[in-house]
Amino acid sequence: LTPLHENFEEAINLDIDLAVPSIAHLRTIEKFGKKLKKKPRIHIEIDTGMTRGGLLNEWPDFLNAIKNADVEVVGAWTHFARADEPQSSFTDEQIEVFEKKLSELKSAGVNPKYVGLGEVYDGVLTKVAFDPVSAVQVVHAMGKSETSLLKMLTKRYPERFEIRLEEVSWRE
């Protein structure tokens, strides 16, 4: 989560993309962009049911606010709440909500280049990235080669997913 007191001015000046989980964040980031005479690059955080962060109840008002906002929308994303529970249908529901909200963004004239869903569990970051043009989806897992999420997604959506595993290690 990104507190409103973060140094957005420095981030914008350094051309760092920023997450926008609320209308207040959008307005604050937009204000600093105008001050610097730079168009901030943002990624919209959409809450699809985790209820921990992102646009949820503000969504209809956000759609109106983003239409005329002086920002560049680079991406949109959300978190899975229960993707590590393959028997749960909640992940399917979240995907449906996310796709609906992406459609609403496009109807508002906002077409993010990057869109994705993800979850962190057992110390593993799992991300599902949607290709908004071709609807091909790619799964990335960091740290493990097998997870219940990967198994669930390939079983439920074999025609929609291309699986890619990437091991990430840090150099010091």
Side-chain angles (χ1 to χ4, degrees), residues 151-168:
K151 292 175 185 176
M152 181 274 295
L153 291 173
T154 55
K155 185 175 179 180
R156 288 190 188 171
Y157 308 103
E159 73 288 351
R160 296 179 70 193
F161 282 89
E162 173 186 340
I163 306 303
R164 295 182 190 163
L165 299 175
E166 298 175 357
E167 295 296 323
V168 176

Side-chain angles (χ1 to χ4, degrees), residues 13-44:
N13 200 39
L14 294 170
D15 297 319
I16 296 172
D17 292 2
L18 297 166
V20 173
S22 71
I23 293 173
H25 282 80
L26 175 65
R27 295 297 182 221
T28 301
I29 291 166
E30 189 177 27
K31 176 184 77 175
F32 283 114
K34 287 179 182 177
K35 177 180 175 185
L36 294 168
K37 296 182 174 61
K38 292 181 96 172
K39 187 173 273 199
R41 292 170 40 102
I42 67 164
H43 295 256
I44 301 167

Side-chain angles (χ1 to χ4, degrees), residues 75-98:
W77 58 284
T78 191
H79 279 287
F80 287 134
R82 299 175 67 186
D84 57 332
E85 299 173 23
Q87 72 281 7
S88 172
S89 64
F90 194 62
T91 299
D92 293 326
E93 294 168 25
Q94 284 189 273
I95 290 171
E96 288 176 24
V97 169
F98 189 66

